[in-house]
Amino acid sequence: MASNPTKEQIGAVYNQVVNHLDISRKATDSKLLQQDSDAVQQRFLRENKLKILS
């Protein structure tokens, strides 16, 4: 598996997030949005055995 996610993988994760989060209610809470974003990213990395290189 490549270390960088494909365009299709990113799109799939994006669609999952959009379908499971109530974006309109949370849009005004940037801290909550960031926490949700971080959680989704960490789950995606964990499930695909990827690591962020710094």
Side-chain angles (χ1 to χ4, degrees):
M1 180 174 283
S3 60
N4 293 323
T6 66
K7 182 177 166 182
E8 290 78 19
Q9 288 172 317
I10 294 170
V13 171
Y14 174 81
N15 289 334
Q16 288 175 353
V17 172
V18 168
N19 290 330
H20 288 94
L21 295 178
D22 182 359
I23 299 297
S24 63
R25 188 180 34 160
K26 297 179 181 177
T28 58
D29 188 346
S30 60
K31 184 176 179 182
L32 185 56
L33 275 176
Q34 187 62 53
Q35 289 173 342
D36 288 343
S37 175
D38 291 345
V40 169
Q41 179 187 33
Q42 290 304 313
R43 181 177 176 189
F44 177 81
L45 294 174
R46 183 177 63 250
E47 288 180 356
N48 290 285
K49 297 179 174 61
L50 302 172
K51 294 182 180 179
I52 294 179
L53 301 175
S54 47

